[in-house]
Every structure is written in C-alpha cells, then in structure tokens.
Amino acid sequence: MSRLTWYRSLYWRIAFGFIALLAVLLLVQAALFLVLTGRVLRSARSAVELANEVADAVSFELVRNPGLELEPWLRERFSGEFQPFLVMLNDGRAGSNRPNALPPNFARAARQRGRGRGDFPPGGTGPGRGSGRPSDRDDFGRSGSLRGDRLAVLAPIVVEGRQVGVAAVPANPPPFTVALREVGPLLAWIAVGLLTVGAAVMALVIFRPARQRLHALEEAAAALGAGRTDVRAVETGGDEVSSLARTFNRMADDLGARALALAASDQARRQLLADVSHELMTPLAAIRGYTETLAMPELTLDDETRLRYLAIVGEETQKLETLIGDLLDLARVEGGGGAWAVEVVRLEDLFGRVRDRHGPTLRERRIEMTAAVEPPDLTVRGDSHRLEQALQNLAANALRHTPDGGRVELRAVRDGGWTAITVRDTGPGIPPEHLSRVFDRFYKVDASRAATETPSGSGLGLSIVRAIIERHGGVIAATNAPDRGALFEIRLPVSA
C-alpha cells in the first residue's frame, strides 16, 4: 500500500488553493487600487489645464445651447475625468462632474470668491484679460481667503465677449476617502468576479476529480453490496480519496477471498458428506445383507456357514466403528478441540513404541523396521500421544504397502531450525499423479499400488496425520524414494 503523500492530500490542496486564490485576489486588487487611485489622486493634467478645458467646453456648448442643463451634461462630457471640478454660471446654474469628490465647502467658497471678484469685463484689467485664462492671482488663498492656502484654480467662462461664469478646479488632489469612494464599487465588482472565477477553477481542478472518484467508489460499493466481489475502485492519486479506494479494494479482496473460501468449504462439506455416506453405506450394506440372510426362517444354514457370516458381520462392524472413530478424531484435531499436553518427547522412545506396536505384523510378514536418530538424544516439543498417533498411522500405511520381506525405515535428524522425521518403505511407491492428493479424506491409491496384500484402511489416516502435524506448526510431504518406495517427511520446528 502506498502511503498518503501530504502535498497531494485533499485537505492541503483545498488549503493551498484557498491561500493561492486569496493571494491572487489581493495582488490584483492592490494593483488595480494603485492604478485607479493614481488616476484619481494624480491627474495627468494640471489644475490650470483642466480648468481651461472645462471653461472652453462650457463656453462652446452655451453658444450652441443657451438653456443647457449643466449638471447632466458635465457628468456625461467629463465622465472619464477623475479630477473633480465645479462650474458656476451667473444665472445661478451650477454643476460638477463628481460632486461628492469636491473638498468640503468648496462650492460656497467659490461663490463667495466669485462675488468678491466680480465679473471679468471684456478688455478689463482683471486676471485672464483678453485670453480669458486664469493666472496665479486667480488661485484661492492668494488674496487671503479660505485658510490662507491655495485651494483652487479659477477659469472664466466667456460667451460672446462676456463672462457668464467660472470653472473651479481644486488645486490639490482629492483626499484618500474620495479616491476610495470613487474606485470602491469597481474594486468590489472585480473582487466578486475574481472570487467567482477562482471558485470555478478550484471546483474544476480540486473538487470535480474528487467528486468523480467518490462517485465511482460509491458505484463500486453498491456493486459489492449487490454481491459482485470482482469490482474494484480506482486508486489513482495520493489523496484521502485514493487511500479510501485502496482500503475499499483491500476489503473487496478480503471479501472475495472469504467468498471463495466459503464456496470451497461448502464444496468440501458436500464432498465430505458424499464420501462419508459412501464409506458408511459399504459396511452397512454388508451387515444388513448378512443379517437378513441369517434371519431368513426358510433358509437352512449349517453351523460353518452361519459362523462365517457372523464373522463377516463382525469385520464390517469393526470397519464401521473404525471409520466413525477416525471421523470423530479428525474432526477433533482439525477443529482444535481437546487439550493437548505440550512436553519434551524423545524421538528414540517414540520410534521404540512404534516398533513394539507393529511387532507381530513385522514378524509375521518378515518385514524389517529400522530406526535411526541423530543425535541419539534428539527431542521435539509437542503432544506425545498425538505425535505417536501420527507416526503409528504412517508406519501402518508403510506396512500396508510393503511386500513381505521388505523394509520400513524410521529416521530423525536435526536440520537447522527444524527436526526432520522420515518414514520410508520399499513398496511400489506412489504414482506421481496421486502425490498431491494422498492427504485428502477418503482418497486411496491401493489400486495403483498393486503389490499390497493388506486391505486398506478408512482413507482418513493420512488426513489425521496432516492435521496433527499442522497443529504442531509443522509440515508433511509425500514423495517417492529414488530407489523405489514411498517417502513421507515430517518437519517440526525446534521452537514449537
């Protein structure tokens, strides 16, 4: 599983995206504010130039339209001019391009100054004589009015040689609040636009891929809930959604493996029931047949025949008892039932008990059983009774498939961290196609090992051996010896 990369985390991507969006917004807003306020606070033209331009424009328009509505016309004509100005006519009309941007009391002071100066007669000696242009003496404050400093520049408005009014322009830039009031709405709309664009970009770049992957994960979860264990979520990316998808896929793998295990277990259960039924039916059918024969009143049997039938019934009953005992024993071992006493077991003593148990068969069939333990004091840890049961089953299986006069070898050696125990016979061996199934329940290869003379067992002995060894933490394998015969090897861990 790949670890979550922090810089690919959805949480950090959202955080970094928000910070980047905020930084871009602030930078753009600051740049626009500087540009716009610069245009408001620092006009490209001087106050004198602006006053002259406004006076000329108003004079020309009054010639064309004596009844001019001054305020609307000024706002339309000078809408792009950020520097505020005031136009006052002698007939009482007044107007400004930006009334709210004028300094406080600017209009009243301009009216008082205009009444104090009087009209500019044509050819007079006042400022702007002849050309109608302001001079330095036209500035507010030069004659001592309005706090003694220059506040505005005046330009006369002349129509047909007669001054009909003045255009007053503040000499100083407007205050910062005026600039903020002028550019504030524009900056607000720009901010809204930037936020909208940034939110759209974040939604497309960050949230849309995550939403698509979450939707795909939702569909995969729904399919898994419907029973499809083959669905998997997309694991691309390194964020939390990818981590969730990897966790989901691991869960789906586990569920798939459990489903396969359950299916295999169910199949094994069905097969076991069929095998058990078959194995039980064989002796039961024989017992029933012979008992029904013995119970027939019309059938006269001599004593020898009756005894032979009764012996067969006894043998089949013994087989049935052995089979049921082996089934119960296998169930206890595989199910982990029962308490096992873990102790130190000397393998030399264990081999001795195995030879003693099969002594009559060895003498009767002239089979030699050898035992070798290296070193002689070699021991293993485990349940002595169960380990002896496993070796007794292997030895009985070896004797069953060893011809008269053959040999069975028991050997134990230390192999690193393992103790290797082998049981080898000199029989015909196990056909290669049967090696992988010799530990299956009820699986028999007696038909292939034709040299055997002893009838086969229940078919559960090797299954019991494997269950015992695996419960001890070991493994068992079946092979064929190079020079003929079957070879079973048990490997038990030294630290078991």
Side-chain angles (χ1 to χ4, degrees):
M1 170 185 172
S2 59
R3 297 181 60 186
L4 179 65
T5 307
W6 72 269
Y7 57 84
R8 291 184 179 177
S9 168
L10 188 61
Y11 172 81
W12 288 109
R13 286 167 62 188
I14 294 174
F16 290 153
F18 175 77
I19 294 174
L21 175 62
L22 185 62
V24 171
L25 175 62
L26 292 176
L27 289 175
V28 174
Q29 289 282 65
L32 289 174
F33 182 78
L34 292 176
V35 172
L36 295 177
T37 54
R39 291 178 61 186
V40 174
L41 299 177
R42 295 184 297 276
S43 177
R45 292 169 294 177
S46 65
V48 174
E49 292 174 340
L50 180 59
N52 290 335
E53 180 181 349
V54 172
D56 291 342
V58 174
S59 299
F60 181 78
E61 190 64 26
L62 286 175
V63 171
R64 294 178 52 197
N65 182 14
L68 175 67
E69 293 185 6
L70 192 59
E71 182 84 18
W73 182 83
L74 288 175
R75 291 190 179 186
E76 180 180 359
R77 172 66 175 76
F78 295 96
S79 60
E81 180 60 50
F82 286 94
Q83 176 73 351
F85 59 82
L86 177 64
V87 174
M88 295 180 297
L89 301 180
N90 294 340
D91 59 6
R93 287 181 290 176
S96 174
N97 64 331
R98 298 181 183 277
N100 296 329
L102 291 172
N105 301 321
F106 184 81
R108 185 177 62 180
R111 288 191 184 95
Q112 291 176 356
R113 180 62 176 167
R115 285 195 295 268
R117 288 169 54 86
D119 294 337
F120 289 98
T125 60
R129 181 183 56 175
S131 63
R133 294 290 175 263
S135 65
D136 290 341
R137 294 185 61 187
D138 294 330
D139 300 337
F140 280 85
R142 182 58 71 89
S143 59
S145 62
L146 290 177
R147 294 176 296 180
D149 55 349
R150 192 174 86 164
L151 295 180
V153 174
L154 297 180
I157 301 174
V158 179
V159 177
E160 296 179 353
R162 184 175 62 88
Q163 180 180 348
V164 297
V166 295
V169 179
N172 297 320
F176 179 78
T177 56
V178 173
L180 185 61
R181 185 170 60 247
E182 289 294 326
V183 301
L186 178 60
L187 290 177
W189 282 109
I190 294 175
V192 171
L194 287 175
L195 284 175
T196 303
V197 173
V201 171
M202 289 184 64
L204 292 176
V205 174
I206 298 177
F207 295 105
R208 185 170 179 269
R211 179 183 177 277
Q212 291 176 342
R213 287 185 289 151
L214 284 173
H215 182 65
L217 183 59
E218 179 185 5
E219 292 181 347
L224 184 63
R228 290 183 51 196
T229 58
D230 59 328
V231 294
R232 295 296 181 270
V234 180
E235 298 183 6
T236 57
D239 55 9
E240 290 81 357
V241 180
S242 302
S243 179
L244 180 62
R246 287 190 291 271
T247 303
F248 173 83
N249 289 340
R250 290 199 304 273
M251 180 187 68
D253 292 338
D254 293 341
L255 290 177
R258 292 181 182 181
L260 292 176
L262 286 175
S265 177
D266 184 68
Q267 179 64 28
R269 180 183 61 83
R270 295 173 182 272
Q271 185 63 39
L272 176 61
L273 288 175
D275 293 340
V276 170
S277 301
H278 174 75
E279 294 294 330
L280 292 177
M281 285 300 297
T282 301
L284 285 175
I287 293 173
R288 179 179 179 181
Y290 283 105
T291 54
E292 288 179 351
T293 301
L294 291 173
M296 294 174 63
E298 67 277 7
L299 183 62
T300 302
L301 299 175
D302 55 38
D303 293 340
E304 182 180 356
T305 303
R306 183 178 293 104
L307 291 176
R308 182 161 54 86
Y309 285 0
L310 290 175
I312 294 175
V313 171
E315 291 176 359
E316 296 299 328
T317 304
Q318 181 64 36
K319 289 183 181 179
L320 188 59
E321 183 181 355
T322 302
L323 176 60
I324 294 175
D326 289 343
L327 282 172
L328 294 175
D329 198 18
L330 180 61
R332 282 193 296 267
V333 174
E334 289 185 339
W340 287 27
V342 179
E343 57 185 346
V344 177
V345 181
R346 294 184 75 252
L347 292 178
E348 191 173 36
D349 297 340
L350 195 60
F351 286 173
R353 291 196 293 271
V354 171
R355 283 190 299 180
D356 294 341
R357 165 68 176 77
H358 297 283
T361 303
L362 296 175
R363 291 189 293 270
E364 180 183 353
R365 299 180 55 196
R366 303 184 311 280
I367 296 177
E368 178 185 7
M369 179 177 287
T370 62
V373 179
E374 300 176 5
D377 59 347
L378 184 60
T379 61
V380 293
R381 290 184 58 83
D383 187 284
S384 175
H385 171 70
R386 290 296 182 178
L387 290 176
E388 180 180 348
Q389 181 184 6
L391 285 179
Q392 294 286 9
N393 285 353
L394 289 178
N397 181 77
L399 290 173
R400 187 179 300 114
H401 299 96
T402 300
D404 294 347
R407 186 177 69 257
V408 175
E409 298 177 0
L410 306 178
R411 189 168 183 267
V413 296
R414 178 64 55 82
D415 185 9
W418 298 85
T419 299
I421 304 172
T422 58
V423 178
R424 177 181 176 183
D425 62 55
T426 57
I430 304 172
E433 64 271 16
H434 296 282
L435 284 173
S436 60
R437 301 192 59 187
V438 293
F439 296 103
D440 293 348
R441 300 183 185 96
F442 301 111
Y443 191 79
K444 303 176 183 179
V445 294
D446 292 342
S448 300
R449 298 172 68 162
T452 63
E453 298 180 0
T454 304
S456 62
S458 64
L460 297 174
L462 294 181
S463 299
I464 295 174
V465 172
R466 181 177 63 178
I468 292 173
I469 298 305
E470 288 180 351
R471 186 162 176 181
H472 279 81
V475 293
I476 184 172
T479 59
N480 285 318
D483 56 348
R484 183 180 174 89
L487 175 64
F488 289 86
E489 181 181 25
I490 298 174
R491 296 180 67 84
L492 295 174
V494 174
S495 59

